[in-house]
Amino acid sequence: MTEHADPVTTPYRPRATLRDVAAMAGVSMKTVSRVVNGEGGVTPQKVDAVRLAISRLDYRPNVSASALRRSSRRTAAIGTVLEDLANPFSSALLRAVEDVANEKRVLILAGSVDEDQQRERALVRAFTERRVDGLIIAPVGEDQGYLRAEMEAGTPLVFVDRQPQGLLADCVLSDNEAGARDAVHRLAEAGHRRIAYLGDLAIIPTAQQRFAGYQRGLLERGLPLDPAHVVHDLHTVDDAARATTALLRSEDAPTALFASQNLVTIGAITALQDLGLEQRVALFGFDDFPMADLLKPRVSVIAQDPAAMGRAAAELLFERLDGERGRPRRILLPTTTVLRGSGEIPPGRP
């Protein structure tokens, strides 16, 4: 027979209040409030007494209540609406926003929309109902005009990765078309004439820009655009792997692939490895991803800088919060061509 000891219960202890801190420190509640909010007019001795009481009582200020009392009505929180927080691009962007916000002691609320327009609106509404000071948004909907009232009410908005539709607002973007164009040029320089395009959802503005860059690159190199070598609406690794397999098993198979998004690139790599063609078919991806430099061959990519995008967006948002006015700004960040090996494979390699 096994005996079980009664669980040890921790006595309930109410959370310390402003009044508790004032009583322990021997000062008024107004003095405690000034110390907590970093205001002046308090003697060093009283500041020390308040801080000691805060430490002993483990006092935690009510940020929401403080915001209601402050004339600025700031909540010291910003909302971040991104495509997929699990995606390396979104996570790096968010971390950069968080680093900037942390320096200003501002909290980040974040959520993923997964290319769902209704989810974008729901997240934005949830954040604005919590009175965030501003929003950083990677838009997926076809119309961001629903945010006009929020802007007019004074909430700063900064869009990242994609330009908003139906709304003039600050945005930080990558030069997607130029990056895709350069990938095609690099593959052409390696001797390829049959270069396939593996694209994300065709309704996504960044996918449209990258496809435009692909077309422009072919045109500038005098290469044909073969509709049979163009596949759109690939949004998962499995979708991309199936499409790549079908292309490479076709009668007039391409000798090189341009994958326009990091998950599409991973799907293409999966198919190349399954077919044993990773050393014979060239591959250029758009967006870097973890382990790209450890695969064989190492994967050549057009790299965006999500950290720079996040920093620029956060800094722009805080400028607006600090009172910066003026016309909406559009910041265009260059991409970087990273040659690692897969994009330099020549056609016809045995």
Side-chain angles (χ1 to χ4, degrees):
M1 176 175 169
T2 303
E3 294 185 3
H4 296 278
D6 292 334
V8 177
T9 59
T10 302
Y12 171 72
R13 179 183 177 186
R15 180 173 292 176
T17 66
L18 195 78
R19 188 183 300 277
D20 296 330
V21 175
M24 178 175 283
V27 300
S28 68
M29 292 174 61
K30 180 63 175 177
T31 297
V32 176
S33 179
R34 284 175 174 168
V35 174
V36 169
N37 293 316
E39 300 174 8
V42 183
T43 66
Q45 293 84 357
K46 289 183 178 180
V47 170
D48 290 343
V50 169
R51 288 176 176 169
L52 180 60
I54 287 173
S55 176
R56 287 179 174 176
L57 293 170
D58 191 24
Y59 170 69
R60 303 174 188 181
N62 186 327
V63 176
S64 298
S66 298
L68 291 174
R69 290 191 294 269
R70 290 196 297 266
S71 60
S72 67
R73 295 293 192 266
R74 295 276 186 89
T75 59
I78 60 176
T80 309
V81 179
L82 300 176
E83 199 275 323
D84 178 7
L85 296 179
N87 187 293
F89 180 88
S90 293
S91 60
L93 192 158
L94 178 63
R95 178 54 192 263
V97 172
E98 185 181 9
D99 288 343
V100 175
N102 187 55
E103 294 173 1
K104 301 179 181 294
R105 301 180 67 183
V106 170
L107 180 69
I108 299 295
L109 305 178
S112 303
V113 294
D114 296 326
E115 297 300 335
D116 185 331
Q117 299 181 32
Q118 295 306 313
R119 191 164 176 173
E120 174 191 314
R121 292 190 178 220
L123 273 174
V124 167
R125 180 169 182 172
F127 290 156
T128 55
E129 286 177 348
R130 285 162 177 76
R131 299 295 188 265
V132 293
D133 296 329
L135 288 165
I136 294 175
I137 304 172
V140 298
E142 297 178 2
D143 183 10
Q144 279 69 51
Y146 70 94
L147 286 163
R148 187 171 290 105
E150 198 65 38
M151 283 187 66
E152 292 173 351
T155 303
L157 306 176
V158 178
F159 292 86
V160 291
D161 192 34
R162 306 169 189 176
Q163 195 160 331
Q165 305 297 311
L167 186 72
L168 287 176
D170 293 325
C171 57
V172 183
L173 314 169
S174 291
D175 196 342
N176 291 286
E177 183 172 341
R181 168 183 171 271
D182 192 56
V184 172
H185 277 283
R186 299 287 182 163
L187 292 168
E189 287 169 2
H192 296 279
R193 292 187 58 80
R194 299 197 305 277
I195 303 171
Y197 174 84
L198 299 168
D200 203 340
L201 301 178
I203 63 170
I204 298 176
T206 50
Q208 296 167 8
Q209 294 159 11
R210 293 169 194 174
F211 184 55
Y214 164 80
Q215 293 174 294
R216 181 179 166 193
L218 292 179
L219 180 64
E220 291 174 347
R221 287 286 175 167
L223 300 178
L225 174 62
D226 186 346
H229 290 166
V230 174
V231 186
H232 294 288
D233 297 322
L234 307 173
H235 196 58
T236 69
V237 171
D238 289 342
D239 288 343
R242 285 191 292 269
T244 302
T245 299
L247 278 172
L248 296 176
R249 285 177 171 169
S250 63
E251 185 175 345
D252 190 24
T255 61
L257 307 172
F258 171 56
S260 74
Q261 189 247 43
N262 52 14
L263 296 181
V264 175
T265 304
I266 293 170
I269 292 168
T270 300
L272 287 169
Q273 291 178 341
D274 288 346
L275 297 170
L277 296 174
E278 67 271 22
Q279 298 287 350
R280 297 173 58 189
V281 176
L283 171 66
F284 233 107
F286 201 110
D287 281 342
D288 211 348
F289 60 94
M291 309 294 286
D293 59 343
L294 298 179
L295 296 170
K296 292 185 179 181
R298 297 190 301 167
V299 184
S300 300
V301 297
I302 301 298
Q304 299 187 84
D305 192 341
M309 183 176 289
R311 282 193 302 271
E315 289 167 357
L316 183 51
L317 186 72
F318 283 115
E319 286 178 18
R320 296 301 192 190
L321 284 169
D322 289 339
E324 173 66 25
R325 296 293 179 263
R327 297 178 62 82
R329 293 169 57 187
R330 181 175 183 267
I331 300 174
L332 192 63
L333 302 176
T335 57
T336 301
T337 301
V338 183
L339 301 174
R340 295 193 178 115
S342 70
E344 298 90 279
I345 295 174
R349 174 184 282 186

